[in-house]
């Protein structure tokens, strides 16, 4: 059950909020923001609801300071304002939503649900590529396994990304990842508009899920397109040389080839897997196998064949 922290010195208001939410959420009430902070910092609830008096800058400052901490920046905060409150501007409040006192009972529950769902969605999206992240990826895989669906799972890794990032800087590295993410998504969706999925694990690791009969064709197209596009990310003099000079993990200057991609593919055609970790492990091993080859390639697990 998700936990909501309510901060209000108004006992009537607190009673109304608890009454509207306690059948769906674990609601913990505090009379002031200072007394609530210890719980928030240690337990990190799913939502904080705070009654805000616009003349009390202490509460606003504490909330803003908390939201400036990267750990709590994704923690949604909903404010409750008095009727006809003159809000000076949203740039001074680090909150996600608000309710006016007159609308409290009518709008409390749907606004709380929307605030939590919106927060979960934003956490789930990789901020760089806007592709779904790890939690969504695991849910996608497990949902298909639980439904007995036949599908193939591809784990894609960009090789030689770190030397590129070190030489040209993180801005160009981020742009290369954004383009790779867009490329993967477009090709996967063009090949299979319905029931396909692309996600970004993080860094230079991506995944996609498709019908087993389509995934190798899509992988070949991703490799071909990436090979052509990635050349444009290198400076002309490096393109002429066919390699870059950058430092390795030991700090030594070395020559590195251009970025390539390695893809490991596993499929659930015969329903061998029951947990998402099983199929991702096989795909990861196949990706490690693909990385042993010099150029971009995909390797598919062929061990499970109909007997």
């Amino acid at each position: 059950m998700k936990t909501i922290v309510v901060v209000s010195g108004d006992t009537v208001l607190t009673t109304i909020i608890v009454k509207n939410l306690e059948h769906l959420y674990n609601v913990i009430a505090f009379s002031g923001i200072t007394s609530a902070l210890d719980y928030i910092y240690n337990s990190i609830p799913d939502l904080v609801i705070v009654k805000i008096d616009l003349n009390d800058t202490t509460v606003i400052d504490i909330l803003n300071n908390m939201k400036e901490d990267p750990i709590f920046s994704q923690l949604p905060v909903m404010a409750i304002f008095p009727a006809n409150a003159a809000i000076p501007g949203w740039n001074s409040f680090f909150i996600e939503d608000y309710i006016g006192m007159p609308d409290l009972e009518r709008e409390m529950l749907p606004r709380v649900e929307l605030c939590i769902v919106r927060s979960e969605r934003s956490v789930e999206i990789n901020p760089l590529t806007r592709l779904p992240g790890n939690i969504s990826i695991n849910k996608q895989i497990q949902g298909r396994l639980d439904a007995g669906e036949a599908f193939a799972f591809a784990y894609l890794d960009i090789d030689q990304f770190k030397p590129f990032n070190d030489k040209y800087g993180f801005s160009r590295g981020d742009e290369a990842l954004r383009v790779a993410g867009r490329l993967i998504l477009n090709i996967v969706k063009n090949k299979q508009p319905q029931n396909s999925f692309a996600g970004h694990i993080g860094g230079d690791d991506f995944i996609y899920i498709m019908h087993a009969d389509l995934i190798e064709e899509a992988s070949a197209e991703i490799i071909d397109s990436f090979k052509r596009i990635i050349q444009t990310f290198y400076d002309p003099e490096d393109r002429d040389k066919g390699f870059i000079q950058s430092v390795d993990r030991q700090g030594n200057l070395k020559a590195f080839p251009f970025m390539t991609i390695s893809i490991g593919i596993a499929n659930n055609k015969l329903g061998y897997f029951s947990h998402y970790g099983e199929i991702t492990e096989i795909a990861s091993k196949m990706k490690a196998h693909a990385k042993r080859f010099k150029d971009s390639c995909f390797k598919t697990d062929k061990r499970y064949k109909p007997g």
Side-chain angles (χ1 to χ4, degrees):
M1 180 178 281
K2 296 184 185 304
T3 297
I4 296 174
V5 164
V6 177
V7 182
S8 169
D10 184 335
T11 54
V12 175
L13 175 67
T14 301
T15 301
I16 293 172
I17 295 172
V18 172
K19 179 184 171 186
N20 278 273
L21 300 178
E22 64 181 353
H23 63 295
L24 290 175
Y25 301 98
N26 175 35
V27 184
I28 300 176
F30 295 89
S31 58
I33 188 68
T34 305
S35 59
L37 280 180
D38 186 57
Y39 179 86
I40 294 172
Y41 280 128
N42 285 293
S43 301
I44 309 182
D46 298 285
L47 174 67
V48 176
I49 301 175
V50 188
K51 181 189 178 187
I52 292 182
D53 179 349
L54 292 173
N55 296 318
D56 185 358
T57 57
T58 302
V59 173
I60 296 169
D61 289 343
I62 290 174
L63 285 174
N64 287 348
N65 287 334
M66 181 184 75
K67 295 279 285 181
E68 285 178 335
D69 186 328
I71 294 176
F72 298 98
S73 62
Q74 297 293 337
L75 172 60
V77 174
M78 175 183 289
I80 298 175
F81 292 126
N84 304 318
I87 302 167
W90 294 117
N91 289 333
S92 59
F93 294 107
F94 291 175
I95 64 175
E96 277 64 41
D97 202 351
Y98 77 98
I99 301 179
M101 291 282 282
D103 302 320
L104 195 61
E105 289 201 70
R106 180 170 55 86
E107 292 196 8
M108 170 59 67
L109 184 56
R111 296 286 283 276
V112 163
E113 290 175 332
L114 180 59
C115 204
I116 291 176
V117 168
R118 193 164 50 210
S119 172
E120 291 176 339
R121 286 173 181 162
S122 65
V123 170
E124 282 296 279
I125 295 173
N126 186 290
L128 182 63
T129 59
R130 312 303 296 171
L131 291 174
N134 288 349
I135 297 174
S136 291
I137 290 168
N138 292 340
K139 284 182 178 176
Q140 274 286 327
I141 300 170
Q142 194 62 49
R144 291 167 192 251
L145 291 176
D146 292 343
E149 183 179 332
F151 65 94
F153 172 83
Y155 187 168
L156 182 152
D157 180 29
I158 300 177
D159 309 309
Q160 311 299 346
F161 175 75
K162 185 179 183 303
F164 175 88
N165 208 46
D166 289 343
K167 177 177 174 61
Y168 292 118
F170 67 87
S171 295
R172 205 185 298 191
D174 284 353
E175 185 58 24
L177 293 177
R178 270 193 289 269
V179 167
R182 182 55 56 186
L183 187 71
I184 293 165
L185 179 65
N186 288 345
I187 291 174
V188 167
K189 287 299 178 184
N190 284 338
K191 289 285 180 190
Q192 185 184 326
Q194 303 298 322
N195 203 33
S196 59
F197 179 85
H200 187 180
I201 296 173
D204 53 7
D205 292 330
F206 298 84
I207 70 96
Y208 45 99
I209 300 172
M210 303 179 70
H211 292 315
D213 294 341
L214 296 173
I215 201 162
E216 291 194 353
E217 186 178 321
S219 299
E221 187 171 337
I222 290 170
I223 287 172
D224 182 61
S225 298
F226 182 83
K227 188 173 184 177
R228 286 185 281 110
I229 290 174
I230 207 62
Q231 299 278 334
T232 64
F233 280 81
Y234 291 85
D235 287 345
E237 56 270 28
D238 289 329
R239 286 204 296 271
D240 291 340
K241 290 188 296 187
F243 64 89
I244 62 171
Q245 283 197 315
S246 186
V247 292
D248 63 14
R249 295 183 187 277
Q250 288 72 43
N252 303 313
L253 188 65
K254 287 180 57 178
F256 291 91
F258 289 172
M259 287 183 279
T260 56
I261 51 179
S262 300
I263 306 171
I265 300 172
N267 72 69
N268 190 41
K269 270 184 176 179
L270 302 179
Y272 278 101
F273 308 112
S274 59
H275 187 269
Y276 66 84
E278 296 169 329
I279 193 168
T280 57
E281 181 182 356
I282 297 298
S284 181
K285 289 180 177 176
M286 298 311 299
K287 185 201 71 171
H289 177 49
K291 288 178 80 71
R292 297 191 184 104
F293 295 80
K294 186 178 179 181
D295 206 352
S296 297
C297 66
F298 64 84
K299 297 297 176 184
T300 306
D301 180 35
K302 303 286 188 183
R303 289 172 292 180
Y304 300 124
K305 294 180 178 178

CSV table of all heavy atoms in Angstrom, one decimal, residues 135-162:
chain,number,residue,atom,x,y,z
A,135,ILE,N,12.1,-0.1,-14.5
A,135,ILE,CA,10.9,-0.7,-13.9
A,135,ILE,C,9.9,-1.0,-15.0
A,135,ILE,O,9.3,-2.1,-14.9
A,135,ILE,CB,10.3,0.3,-12.9
A,135,ILE,CG1,11.4,0.6,-11.7
A,135,ILE,CG2,9.0,-0.2,-12.3
A,135,ILE,CD1,11.0,1.6,-10.7
A,136,SER,N,9.7,-0.1,-15.9
A,136,SER,CA,8.8,-0.4,-17.0
A,136,SER,C,9.2,-1.6,-17.9
A,136,SER,O,8.4,-2.4,-18.3
A,136,SER,CB,8.6,0.8,-17.9
A,136,SER,OG,8.0,1.9,-17.3
A,137,ILE,N,10.5,-1.7,-18.1
A,137,ILE,CA,11.1,-2.8,-18.8
A,137,ILE,C,10.8,-4.1,-18.2
A,137,ILE,O,10.3,-5.1,-18.8
A,137,ILE,CB,12.6,-2.6,-19.0
A,137,ILE,CG1,12.9,-1.4,-20.0
A,137,ILE,CG2,13.2,-3.9,-19.6
A,137,ILE,CD1,14.4,-1.0,-20.0
A,138,ASN,N,11.1,-4.2,-16.9
A,138,ASN,CA,10.8,-5.4,-16.1
A,138,ASN,C,9.3,-5.8,-16.1
A,138,ASN,O,8.9,-6.9,-16.2
A,138,ASN,CB,11.3,-5.3,-14.7
A,138,ASN,CG,12.8,-5.2,-14.7
A,138,ASN,OD1,13.5,-5.6,-15.6
A,138,ASN,ND2,13.4,-4.7,-13.6
A,139,LYS,N,8.4,-4.7,-16.0
A,139,LYS,CA,7.0,-5.0,-16.0
A,139,LYS,C,6.5,-5.5,-17.4
A,139,LYS,O,5.7,-6.4,-17.4
A,139,LYS,CB,6.3,-3.7,-15.7
A,139,LYS,CG,6.3,-3.3,-14.2
A,139,LYS,CD,5.5,-2.0,-14.0
A,139,LYS,CE,5.4,-1.6,-12.5
A,139,LYS,NZ,4.8,-0.3,-12.3
A,140,GLN,N,7.1,-4.9,-18.4
A,140,GLN,CA,6.8,-5.4,-19.8
A,140,GLN,C,7.1,-6.9,-20.0
A,140,GLN,O,6.3,-7.6,-20.5
A,140,GLN,CB,7.5,-4.6,-20.8
A,140,GLN,CG,6.9,-3.3,-21.2
A,140,GLN,CD,5.7,-3.5,-22.1
A,140,GLN,OE1,5.7,-4.5,-22.9
A,140,GLN,NE2,4.7,-2.7,-22.0
A,141,ILE,N,8.3,-7.2,-19.6
A,141,ILE,CA,8.7,-8.6,-19.7
A,141,ILE,C,7.9,-9.5,-18.9
A,141,ILE,O,7.4,-10.6,-19.4
A,141,ILE,CB,10.2,-8.8,-19.4
A,141,ILE,CG1,11.1,-7.9,-20.3
A,141,ILE,CG2,10.7,-10.2,-19.5
A,141,ILE,CD1,12.5,-7.8,-19.8
A,142,GLN,N,7.7,-9.2,-17.6
A,142,GLN,CA,7.0,-10.1,-16.7
A,142,GLN,C,5.5,-10.2,-17.1
A,142,GLN,O,5.0,-11.3,-17.0
A,142,GLN,CB,7.1,-9.6,-15.3
A,142,GLN,CG,6.7,-10.6,-14.2
A,142,GLN,CD,7.5,-11.9,-14.3
A,142,GLN,OE1,8.7,-11.8,-14.2
A,142,GLN,NE2,6.9,-13.0,-14.3
A,143,GLY,N,4.9,-9.1,-17.6
A,143,GLY,CA,3.6,-9.2,-18.0
A,143,GLY,C,3.4,-10.1,-19.2
A,143,GLY,O,2.4,-10.9,-19.3
A,144,ARG,N,4.3,-10.1,-20.1
A,144,ARG,CA,4.3,-11.0,-21.3
A,144,ARG,C,4.5,-12.5,-20.9
A,144,ARG,O,3.8,-13.4,-21.4
A,144,ARG,CB,5.3,-10.6,-22.4
A,144,ARG,CG,4.9,-9.2,-23.0
A,144,ARG,CD,6.1,-8.7,-23.8
A,144,ARG,NE,5.8,-7.3,-24.2
A,144,ARG,CZ,5.5,-6.9,-25.4
A,144,ARG,NH1,5.5,-7.8,-26.4
A,144,ARG,NH2,5.3,-5.6,-25.7
A,145,LEU,N,5.4,-12.7,-19.9
A,145,LEU,CA,5.7,-14.0,-19.4
A,145,LEU,C,4.4,-14.6,-18.7
A,145,LEU,O,4.0,-15.7,-18.9
A,145,LEU,CB,6.9,-14.0,-18.5
A,145,LEU,CG,8.2,-13.8,-19.1
A,145,LEU,CD1,9.3,-13.7,-18.1
A,145,LEU,CD2,8.6,-14.8,-20.2
A,146,ASP,N,3.8,-13.7,-17.9
A,146,ASP,CA,2.7,-14.2,-17.1
A,146,ASP,C,1.5,-14.5,-18.0
A,146,ASP,O,0.7,-15.4,-17.7
A,146,ASP,CB,2.2,-13.1,-16.1
A,146,ASP,CG,3.3,-12.9,-15.0
A,146,ASP,OD1,4.1,-13.8,-14.8
A,146,ASP,OD2,3.2,-11.9,-14.3
A,147,ALA,N,1.4,-13.8,-19.2
A,147,ALA,CA,0.3,-14.0,-20.1
A,147,ALA,C,0.6,-15.2,-21.1
A,147,ALA,O,-0.2,-15.5,-21.9
A,147,ALA,CB,0.1,-12.7,-20.9
A,148,GLY,N,1.8,-15.8,-20.9
A,148,GLY,CA,2.2,-16.9,-21.8
A,148,GLY,C,2.4,-16.4,-23.2
A,148,GLY,O,2.3,-17.2,-24.2
A,149,GLU,N,2.8,-15.2,-23.4
A,149,GLU,CA,3.0,-14.7,-24.7
A,149,GLU,C,4.4,-15.1,-25.3
A,149,GLU,O,5.4,-15.1,-24.6
A,149,GLU,CB,3.0,-13.1,-24.7
A,149,GLU,CG,3.1,-12.4,-26.0
A,149,GLU,CD,3.0,-10.9,-25.8
A,149,GLU,OE1,2.3,-10.5,-24.9
A,149,GLU,OE2,3.6,-10.2,-26.6
A,150,ALA,N,4.4,-15.4,-26.6
A,150,ALA,CA,5.7,-15.7,-27.3
A,150,ALA,C,6.3,-14.4,-27.8
A,150,ALA,O,5.6,-13.6,-28.5
A,150,ALA,CB,5.5,-16.7,-28.4
A,151,PHE,N,7.5,-14.1,-27.4
A,151,PHE,CA,8.1,-12.9,-27.8
A,151,PHE,C,9.7,-13.0,-27.8
A,151,PHE,O,10.2,-14.0,-27.3
A,151,PHE,CB,7.7,-11.7,-26.9
A,151,PHE,CG,8.2,-11.9,-25.5
A,151,PHE,CD1,9.4,-11.3,-25.1
A,151,PHE,CD2,7.5,-12.6,-24.6
A,151,PHE,CE1,9.9,-11.4,-23.8
A,151,PHE,CE2,7.9,-12.7,-23.3
A,151,PHE,CZ,9.1,-12.1,-22.9
A,152,ALA,N,10.4,-12.1,-28.4
A,152,ALA,CA,11.8,-12.1,-28.3
A,152,ALA,C,12.3,-10.8,-27.7
A,152,ALA,O,11.7,-9.7,-27.8
A,152,ALA,CB,12.4,-12.2,-29.8
A,153,PHE,N,13.4,-10.9,-27.0
A,153,PHE,CA,13.9,-9.8,-26.2
A,153,PHE,C,15.4,-9.5,-26.6
A,153,PHE,O,16.2,-10.4,-26.7
A,153,PHE,CB,13.9,-10.2,-24.7
A,153,PHE,CG,14.6,-9.2,-23.8
A,153,PHE,CD1,13.9,-8.0,-23.3
A,153,PHE,CD2,15.9,-9.4,-23.4
A,153,PHE,CE1,14.6,-7.2,-22.5
A,153,PHE,CE2,16.5,-8.5,-22.5
A,153,PHE,CZ,15.9,-7.4,-22.1
A,154,ALA,N,15.7,-8.3,-27.0
A,154,ALA,CA,17.0,-7.9,-27.5
A,154,ALA,C,17.6,-6.9,-26.5
A,154,ALA,O,17.0,-6.0,-26.0
A,154,ALA,CB,16.9,-7.2,-28.8
A,155,TYR,N,18.9,-7.2,-26.2
A,155,TYR,CA,19.7,-6.3,-25.3
A,155,TYR,C,20.8,-5.7,-26.1
A,155,TYR,O,21.7,-6.5,-26.6
A,155,TYR,CB,20.2,-7.2,-24.1
A,155,TYR,CG,20.9,-6.5,-23.0
A,155,TYR,CD1,21.2,-7.1,-21.8
A,155,TYR,CD2,21.3,-5.1,-23.1
A,155,TYR,CE1,21.9,-6.5,-20.8
A,155,TYR,CE2,21.9,-4.5,-22.1
A,155,TYR,CZ,22.2,-5.1,-20.9
A,155,TYR,OH,22.8,-4.5,-19.9
A,156,LEU,N,20.8,-4.4,-26.3
A,156,LEU,CA,21.7,-3.7,-27.2
A,156,LEU,C,22.7,-2.9,-26.4
A,156,LEU,O,22.3,-2.1,-25.5
A,156,LEU,CB,20.9,-2.8,-28.2
A,156,LEU,CG,21.7,-2.0,-29.2
A,156,LEU,CD1,20.9,-1.8,-30.5
A,156,LEU,CD2,22.2,-0.7,-28.7
A,157,ASP,N,24.0,-3.0,-26.7
A,157,ASP,CA,25.0,-2.2,-26.0
A,157,ASP,C,25.9,-1.5,-27.1
A,157,ASP,O,26.2,-2.1,-28.1
A,157,ASP,CB,25.9,-3.2,-25.2
A,157,ASP,CG,27.0,-2.4,-24.4
A,157,ASP,OD1,26.8,-1.3,-24.1
A,157,ASP,OD2,28.0,-3.1,-24.2
A,158,ILE,N,26.2,-0.2,-26.8
A,158,ILE,CA,27.0,0.5,-27.8
A,158,ILE,C,28.5,0.3,-27.3
A,158,ILE,O,28.8,0.6,-26.2
A,158,ILE,CB,26.7,2.0,-27.8
A,158,ILE,CG1,25.2,2.2,-28.2
A,158,ILE,CG2,27.6,2.8,-28.7
A,158,ILE,CD1,24.8,3.7,-28.2
A,159,ASP,N,29.3,-0.2,-28.2
A,159,ASP,CA,30.7,-0.4,-28.0
A,159,ASP,C,31.5,0.8,-28.2
A,159,ASP,O,31.2,1.6,-29.1
A,159,ASP,CB,31.2,-1.6,-28.8
A,159,ASP,CG,30.3,-2.8,-28.8
A,159,ASP,OD1,30.1,-3.3,-27.6
A,159,ASP,OD2,29.9,-3.3,-29.8
A,160,GLN,N,32.5,1.0,-27.5
A,160,GLN,CA,33.5,2.2,-27.6
A,160,GLN,C,32.8,3.5,-27.4
A,160,GLN,O,33.2,4.5,-27.9
A,160,GLN,CB,34.1,2.2,-29.1
A,160,GLN,CG,34.7,0.9,-29.5
A,160,GLN,CD,35.8,0.3,-28.6
A,160,GLN,OE1,36.3,1.1,-27.8
A,160,GLN,NE2,36.2,-0.9,-28.8
A,161,PHE,N,31.7,3.5,-26.5
A,161,PHE,CA,31.1,4.7,-26.2
A,161,PHE,C,31.9,5.6,-25.3
A,161,PHE,O,32.0,6.8,-25.4
A,161,PHE,CB,29.7,4.5,-25.6
A,161,PHE,CG,29.0,5.8,-25.2
A,161,PHE,CD1,28.5,6.6,-26.1
A,161,PHE,CD2,29.0,6.1,-23.8
A,161,PHE,CE1,27.8,7.8,-25.7
A,161,PHE,CE2,28.4,7.3,-23.4
A,161,PHE,CZ,27.8,8.1,-24.4
A,162,LYS,N,32.6,5.0,-24.3
A,162,LYS,CA,33.3,5.7,-23.3
A,162,LYS,C,34.5,6.5,-23.9
A,162,LYS,O,34.6,7.7,-23.6
A,162,LYS,CB,33.8,4.8,-22.2
A,162,LYS,CG,34.5,5.5,-21.1
A,162,LYS,CD,35.0,4.6,-20.0
A,162,LYS,CE,35.6,5.4,-18.8
A,162,LYS,NZ,36.7,6.2,-19.2
